[in-house]
Amino acid sequence: GVVDVSHDSGLVERMASPVLSAAAAILLLLSEAGGFPARAPTAEPPRCGYESCPVTQPSMLNVHMVPHTHDDVGWLKTVDQYYYGDRNEIQHAGVQYILDSVVQALQQDPRRRFIYVETAFLYRWWRQQSAETRRAVTQLISQGRLELVGGGWCMNDEATVLYSAVIDQMTLGLRFLNDTFGRCGRPRVAWHIDPFGHAREQASLFAQMGFDGFFFGRLDYQDKAQRMRSRTMEMLWRASESLVPSNADLFTGVLPNGYNPPAGFCWDQLCDDPPIRDDPALEDYNVDSVVKKFLQAARDQAALYKTNHIIMTMGSDFQYENANLWFKNLDKLIHYVNAQSQGSGVNVLYSTPSCYLQELHRANLTWPVKTDDFFPYADTPHSFWTGYFSSRPALKRYERKSNGLLQVCNQLEVLGGAASRRGPHGSGDSDTLRRAMGVAQHHDAVAGTEKQHVANDYAQRLASGWAHCEPLVSNVLSVLSGSVSPHSYCGSLNISVCPVSEDNHQFSVTVYNPMGSAVSWSVRLPVNGSLYSVTDPRGQPVDSQVVPVSNFTRAVRRDRGYAAYELVFPARVPPLGFSTYSVSLLQRSWQGPPPPQPGAPPSIQNEFVKVTFDPDTGLLSSISNLETQQTLRLSQNFYWYNASVGNSDSAQPSGAYIFRPNTSSPFPVSTRAQTFTVQTPLFQEVYQEFSPWVSQVVRLPRGGHQLELEWTVGPIPVGDGLGKEVISRFDSDINSSGLFYTDSNGREILERSSDVPSLVIPGGISDPPGI
């Protein structure tokens, strides 16, 4: 929800924290009307989509060469730096030159093909082009020679994103393509070649969006090896347990070389492979050796797949800045392989993922069925890519809060219409935050694997989006409430900072609920008075409580605020509606409310939940559901894994991408916690201090069905030279037989097992790391 605090100046924002499957096989059948053409292309003028695909040879091995570039929307450089080719001392990459060069190269030969993915870059480039260039690009797309795949604003991460944010960024990209290029701009194939593991919900969303197929490059090395042996690199992914089969079914293929070309066939200016030297008069003439090597690579790859069609990705990160290098050598390779006088049985052609997919459809085979996901991903025995699940947690949290605000901004913009974008609080829009959120979903953004200056850039873009959404929200709330009082947003409530509530004796708080059902929520505002009156929208008094700001929060806040207390009161808000509460200071006392009392009580409870504490350690010891009379022995503590810096088994250290501890047993931060207790009619809190850098508040609100744990970790001490991967661990007496459950991007639930053989890491760690 959003909390709006208004007075003579005042809007406080606060977001609520909200292997292959068993013996199944399915025949890939797609509707002729909405999918593949019934017949092979004729001699008619080429059209976009499947009708534009080149003719293949049924009796030969057909190698579909797919020229492509993978352009990260931020990683080692910022989005702007990548687009303009700035800061090349960090990484040589300039996306605008890639698109310039590719369009020019495609116009030189009608047989050439190219695919492009990242709409955020295409959108920016398109706006800078002349009418002549736009006509040329539109023609290339309408002829299927420039194929748009994926179509999202970015190639989003799949592990740390929320499903609604994925839908938003896909909508943003696909809407631009549809509005600009019409039917021919609609991607038919999803293309996630670089994300570090793949979520079932992502495949489900792609299927529901109407994609015909999905190709990716990364999966666990053991899973890939098994699939290569069994020729199951391509499958039918049944990506939902709740939807009727076929509604979330998606044909899925694993690319053979990640997203790179076969070894020895990279002809970009960033590569070192020799070009094709086809002048027989030259001493270094190498056509025969190149053709021989290529035929061997093609046959080796064909042995891993089921049909007489294989796909080769001819490109990689930020390649084709000088597209002539690539296309000139690919032209030669296609010519000389297909010109083999004795017949190699191999036919090479420029192609696209959709044309390759069409040939697999025509093969009319049965395919294995996949029902779970592709997590965790490891590329070697000591390199599990689960470190990024928790890298840059502050940016992850900011992205989640921004997603919540974007939903509010979208809803109120619809309710307010034109008046929302220009009103008493200035001009506002949702587009700025929508584009910033689109970039933030990138698999090197919210994932936390980018460089620090790039993370700063992502945060700055989100902040700019907030600045554009805030006046829009204020304009609509003013219209709906009939009040034109100024509003102020406070974005630092997590450290109890809000000048509006700290400095004023009277103010109003408007709580907006973007959910489809009514919510009850505890509002917590930093204040300096010791007693306040709070009334609801009908003028009825509301119970409230003033408590001291915890020492934990003061330590993190430092000198950025000075509130001594927090005002807490319950708010109830209707679905897709708002409630306004009036707050008045009754007493400002230097004595204030009583401080927390030392020690933890034997238990705290409300109407529904009871929690007990170990009197010796101060840790949780059990939790009970008073409605069902069920009690679970449960303890919780904080631990840390010692991060590996590499050893004789592998030089791989633990880091932003990789979670690699030195041992499989973590170290407790402390075996006991120093405790303090706050008990009020509205809530009960037990403060636990485990060390100067780890603390927690265990909170049980009145009428709540949940126990809240609010922890503060950091700054993590590293003066001892030991890297620390900090975890919160719960130990219970549940006999789960190794089964546990996780969500998939905040939507459906997956059952997992800690005993899956493919998750065993050679070297002694048998738990699935990072989950």
Side-chain angles (χ1 to χ4, degrees), residues 673-695:
Q674 185 179 7
T675 57
F676 302 88
T677 303
V678 173
Q679 292 187 307
T680 76
L682 286 181
F683 56 85
Q684 302 166 73
E685 295 180 337
V686 175
Y687 294 9
Q688 299 172 312
E689 183 172 358
F690 298 86
S691 78
W693 55 279
V694 177
S695 59

Side-chain angles (χ1 to χ4, degrees), residues 41 47 100 112 203 262 299 307 330 336 378 420 422 574 586 674 679 733 771:
R47 293 176 291 171
D100 290 342
R112 293 174 174 175
R299 289 166 182 150
T307 74
L330 288 174
Y336 288 116
S420 66
R422 186 176 297 275
L586 298 180
Q674 185 179 7
Q679 292 187 307
D733 58 358
I771 296 181

Side-chain angles (χ1 to χ4, degrees), residues 627-641:
E627 292 182 291
T628 62
Q629 296 298 306
Q630 291 176 301
T631 297
L632 175 68
R633 288 201 299 274
L634 179 74
S635 64
Q636 180 261 344
N637 201 352
F638 291 90
Y639 298 80
W640 59 276
Y641 287 98

Side-chain angles (χ1 to χ4, degrees), residues 293-515:
K293 184 176 181 180
F294 180 82
L295 291 175
Q296 187 61 53
R299 289 166 182 150
D300 290 345
Q301 181 177 327
L304 311 176
Y305 292 83
K306 281 190 170 185
T307 74
N308 64 325
H309 293 268
I310 61 173
I311 185 172
M312 285 189 178
T313 47
M314 308 306 286
S316 193
D317 292 353
F318 299 100
Q319 295 195 0
Y320 285 81
E321 193 171 310
N322 182 352
N324 183 58
L325 291 174
W326 259 114
F327 280 114
K328 193 164 189 175
N329 283 279
L330 288 174
D331 289 345
K332 292 180 180 181
L333 180 65
I334 293 172
H335 171 74
Y336 288 116
V337 170
N338 291 343
Q340 293 293 293
S341 58
Q342 296 182 354
S344 63
V346 175
N347 176 51
V348 189
L349 62 150
Y350 281 118
S351 188
T352 65
S354 62
C355 292
Y356 173 66
L357 181 66
Q358 177 176 235
E359 296 299 335
L360 299 184
H361 167 70
R362 288 174 173 167
N364 202 29
L365 301 179
T366 58
W367 305 93
V369 174
K370 170 83 171 176
T371 59
D372 51 4
D373 63 10
F374 289 95
F375 287 118
Y377 160 62
D379 57 347
T380 68
H382 298 281
S383 299
F384 271 78
W385 294 49
T386 55
Y388 75 100
F389 290 2
S390 56
S391 295
R392 300 197 185 280
L395 182 63
K396 283 178 165 64
R397 175 61 176 154
Y398 194 24
E399 180 274 334
R400 282 293 194 276
K401 291 181 65 177
S402 299
N403 181 57
L405 179 62
L406 180 59
Q407 307 316 313
V408 171
C409 202
N410 289 337
Q411 292 175 8
L412 292 179
E413 189 171 22
V414 172
L415 288 172
S420 66
R421 292 182 286 276
R422 186 176 297 275
H425 301 282
S427 298
D429 65 80
S430 60
D431 290 339
T432 305
L433 183 55
R434 188 175 295 109
R435 286 193 293 268
M437 278 293 293
V439 168
Q441 304 315 303
H442 172 59
H443 58 269
D444 284 306
V446 65
T449 53
E450 68 276 21
K451 294 297 186 181
Q452 184 61 54
H453 77 286
V454 182
N456 294 342
D457 182 71
Y458 289 135
Q460 185 175 6
R461 290 172 184 275
L462 292 173
S464 177
W466 281 61
H468 282 76
C469 264
E470 287 169 359
L472 186 153
V473 172
S474 297
N475 288 336
V476 179
L477 290 178
S478 290
V479 171
L480 295 177
S481 66
S483 170
V484 294
S485 297
H487 299 100
S488 174
Y489 288 78
C490 296
S492 300
L493 289 177
N494 60 325
I495 55 172
S496 295
V497 173
C498 177
V500 173
S501 58
E502 293 174 54
D503 296 339
N504 291 276
H505 295 178
Q506 288 187 320
F507 52 88
S508 63
V509 183
T510 299
V511 186
Y512 178 80
N513 173 22
M515 305 287 286

